Every structure is written in C-alpha cells, then in structure tokens.
C-alpha cells in the first residue's frame, strides 16, 4: 500500500508529462486539484455553480456531468426518487471511485450513459426532474 505522498508524486509526474491543463483527484481521505498557469478556472467549481444556479432559477431538469474521465457505474434508474446529495453514479479510474451526487431533489428522468461506458469530463450522465 502506498502513502498519499507517493501517489501525489506519481500523479505530478504523469501530469507534468501530459498535455492536460488541469487535473482533479478525490479519494475518501484527500483531494488534489492541479492546474497549469495557462489553464482555465477550476471546472469542478464551475459545475457546482451551474448546478446551484439551475436549481434556484426554476424547477426544470438538472443534468449531472462527469467531473473527470472514468468508467461509468450508475447507482440509479429512471423513475427513482432522489434527494440533494444522493449518489447518482460513480466514476471508476484505476480502481478509485468518485461519486456523482444529485444537485436537486426530484425524479431521475434519464440515465444518459450505460454501465461501464468510458465517459469524459463534462459528459452528461444523469438527468433529474427537480421537484
């Protein structure tokens, strides 16, 4: 088992060698966000702001998006009732899972990816009709 320091060093090396402008990683114990000087704003904060604005603006459908690349594992199905913060799906990257949570209470109207699909940052995953 490796320590978080070793994991971070390995990720930094991979990030340095990659063409990526930003990288976000979250585990049960810690999270890490990296951005290059020429990179944009933190995409996760932008997604959270969009979700909050959408919920406040009206009672329409809220679509959860992938926070990063990974294998999609749905945790809900169309017709399921969900509350804010409920886990809609998980994204698996090399055995590490990130939860995608609901930004609104309501009914799941669509799951837009199939189990084990490879999804990328920003892909639409689950649509919830706000209650």
């Amino acid at each position: 088992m490796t320590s978080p320091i070793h994991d971070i060093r390995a990720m930094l090396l991979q990030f340095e060698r990659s063409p990526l402008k930003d990288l976000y990683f979250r585990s049960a114990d810690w999270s890490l966000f990296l951005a290059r000087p020429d990179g944009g704003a933190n995409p996760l904060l932008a997604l959270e702001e969009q979700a909050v604005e959408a919920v406040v603006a009206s009672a329409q459908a809220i679509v959860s998006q992938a926070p990063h690349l990974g294998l999609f594992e749905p945790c809900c199905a169309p017709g399921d009732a969900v509350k804010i913060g409920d886990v809609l799906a998980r994204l698996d990257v090399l055995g590490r899972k990130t939860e995608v949570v609901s930004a609104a209470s309501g009914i799941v109207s669509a799951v837009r990816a199939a189990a084990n699909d490879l999804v990328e940052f920003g892909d639409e995953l689950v649509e919830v009709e706000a209650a």
Side-chain angles (χ1 to χ4, degrees):
M1 181 173 206
T2 62
S3 73
I5 298 297
H6 290 100
D7 291 343
I8 292 171
R9 285 183 180 154
M11 281 189 279
L12 283 171
L13 182 61
Q14 291 299 319
F15 182 63
E16 185 178 85
R17 294 177 178 170
S18 78
L20 299 174
K21 289 186 178 181
D22 52 56
L23 171 75
Y24 177 76
F25 176 82
R26 180 176 66 184
S27 73
D29 300 322
W30 57 278
S31 64
L32 172 72
F33 179 78
L34 302 171
R36 295 188 191 277
D38 59 345
N42 183 334
L44 296 172
L45 295 178
L47 287 176
E48 288 176 11
E49 291 171 7
Q50 290 171 0
V52 169
E53 289 172 6
V55 170
V56 171
S58 66
Q60 60 186 349
I62 306 301
V63 179
S64 296
Q65 295 178 327
H68 57 74
L69 177 107
L71 292 176
F72 180 71
E73 296 178 9
C75 297
C76 63
D80 288 354
V82 295
K83 297 177 187 170
I84 293 175
D86 283 355
V87 177
L88 300 175
R90 290 184 180 86
L91 295 183
D92 185 323
V93 178
L94 301 173
R96 300 211 183 216
K97 299 184 186 207
T98 301
E99 294 180 340
V100 177
V101 297
S102 180
S105 295
I107 304 296
V108 175
S109 57
V111 177
R112 298 191 177 169
N116 294 317
D117 276 358
L118 180 62
V119 297
E120 296 184 21
F121 169 77
D123 283 355
E124 295 182 346
L125 302 177
V126 179
E127 181 177 318
V128 175
E129 290 291 331

